Amino acid sequence: MQAKAPALMQRHTVVPSWQGSPGYVDVVAKLVAEQLDSLDDISDTTTVLFSAHGVPVSYVEEAGDPYKRHIEETVAKVTENVKRRRPATTATFELSFQSRVGPVKWLEPYTDTKLEEIGQRGCDSVVVVPISFVSEHIETLEELDIEYREVAEEAGVKHWRRVPALNLDEDFISELATQVRGALAKPVVNSVDACILNSFDLTETPVGMLPGVDEPVEFVNGRTMTVAITLTILFELLADRASVVGLLGLPV
């Protein structure tokens, strides 16, 4: 986390956390309320599901990462803000975690499991909020919009809404500027200092290592992804015998 040649390091500072900042909470609540408005005349049973990127449980329980607590604080404040904006709403507000990979246990409940539960209890409308994402990418455009929407519809959800990521929302950009100005007005904080401020213990577990796993998380996840891709290719080939025959150079 620190350069071997400090003289080559650009002077910088880090914002340790900003999960509860009023500007951030306000802009997310605004976007959630807009999606709820689109369901006013459609459904009386709506669930607002905050879907955060998951992390291994060991990060939280063994290494002391405050991520889960920060997410829960944010969800609570956004929920309060939305209810204040839309006092007549009957929607329920819940939290889940997505994008798990690798062999270790990640934070639960998982988003796909939660969507199945929502559909099974008769809720026909869902507003999904990508709460730990600030821009659109594969985990919102593909994982949420395609994969998880399919899970929800198969479970009985008829009306799907997905709150857009913050992207270039003017209120969000203004909040980032507020965070930068605030950081510049305080003593310099480097990345290690930020971990200490957040009570994330780096003394026993090297950066990039999972507690209880002897290899860097990138290696574990990389190997898992390699196996997944290999199996996908194999299944695709086996689904088309002609392709397999041609690949092996066998006579038809």
Side-chain angles (χ1 to χ4, degrees):
M1 298 189 58
Q2 298 296 308
K4 292 183 179 179
L8 298 179
M9 288 286 287
Q10 292 289 331
R11 185 175 183 274
H12 72 285
T13 190
V14 175
V15 178
S17 64
W18 47 287
Q19 78 283 353
S21 64
Y24 171 63
V25 169
D26 204 51
V27 68
V28 175
K30 174 192 72 174
L31 296 174
V32 173
E34 290 173 355
Q35 294 302 315
L36 281 174
D37 289 345
S38 72
L39 292 170
D40 279 348
D41 299 325
I42 298 176
S43 175
D44 294 326
T45 59
T46 299
T47 296
V48 176
L49 181 62
F50 295 90
S51 184
H53 198 295
V55 297
V57 171
S58 57
Y59 276 15
V60 176
E61 295 184 353
E62 297 181 33
D65 193 326
Y67 175 74
K68 181 174 182 288
R69 173 170 53 82
H70 286 178
I71 289 293
E72 290 171 342
E73 290 175 4
T74 299
V75 168
K77 290 183 178 182
V78 172
T79 298
E80 180 183 357
N81 190 304
V82 173
K83 289 181 177 180
R84 189 164 58 248
R85 289 169 176 266
R86 303 292 185 272
T89 185
T90 59
T92 58
F93 296 77
E94 302 179 32
L95 169 64
S96 62
F97 298 90
Q98 66 177 83
S99 308
R100 66 187 185 277
V101 295
V104 297
K105 183 178 180 180
W106 284 47
L107 293 177
E108 296 181 282
Y110 300 134
T111 296
D112 50 356
T113 302
K114 178 57 70 173
L115 287 169
E116 291 173 347
E117 293 176 359
I118 290 171
Q120 290 168 2
R121 67 175 182 239
C123 179
D124 65 356
S125 300
V126 173
V127 175
V128 177
V129 188
I131 192 60
S132 59
F133 307 100
V134 296
S135 63
E136 303 290 2
H137 59 302
I138 191 170
E139 289 164 322
T140 58
L141 300 174
E142 198 275 336
E143 191 171 6
L144 284 178
D145 290 354
I146 299 176
E147 295 180 22
Y148 289 157
R149 180 172 185 170
E150 183 176 319
V151 170
E153 291 175 346
E154 289 179 353
V157 173
K158 298 178 181 178
H159 309 293
W160 171 276
R161 299 288 188 275
R162 204 265 289 171
V163 172
L166 301 175
N167 296 310
L168 297 178
D169 184 286
E170 291 185 2
D171 293 333
F172 175 56
I173 300 303
S174 177
E175 172 60 20
L176 290 181
T178 297
Q179 292 297 324
V180 170
R181 286 193 294 268
L184 292 176
K186 298 176 182 178
V188 170
V189 176
N190 61 37
S191 52
V192 172
D193 294 332
C195 288
I196 294 173
L197 288 171
N198 283 324
S199 300
F200 187 25
D201 184 9
L202 297 178
T203 58
E204 297 183 0
T205 303
V207 176
M209 299 292 290
L210 290 173
V213 179
D214 295 331
E215 294 182 302
V217 63
E218 289 82 2
F219 290 175
V220 174
N221 290 345
R223 288 174 180 170
T224 302
M225 186 62 69
T226 299
V227 171
I229 293 173
T230 301
L231 289 174
T232 299
I233 294 173
L234 179 60
F235 289 147
E236 291 287 343
L237 290 174
L238 292 178
D240 185 350
R241 181 177 179 277
S243 296
V244 177
V245 172
L247 180 66
L248 298 178
L250 299 175
V252 179

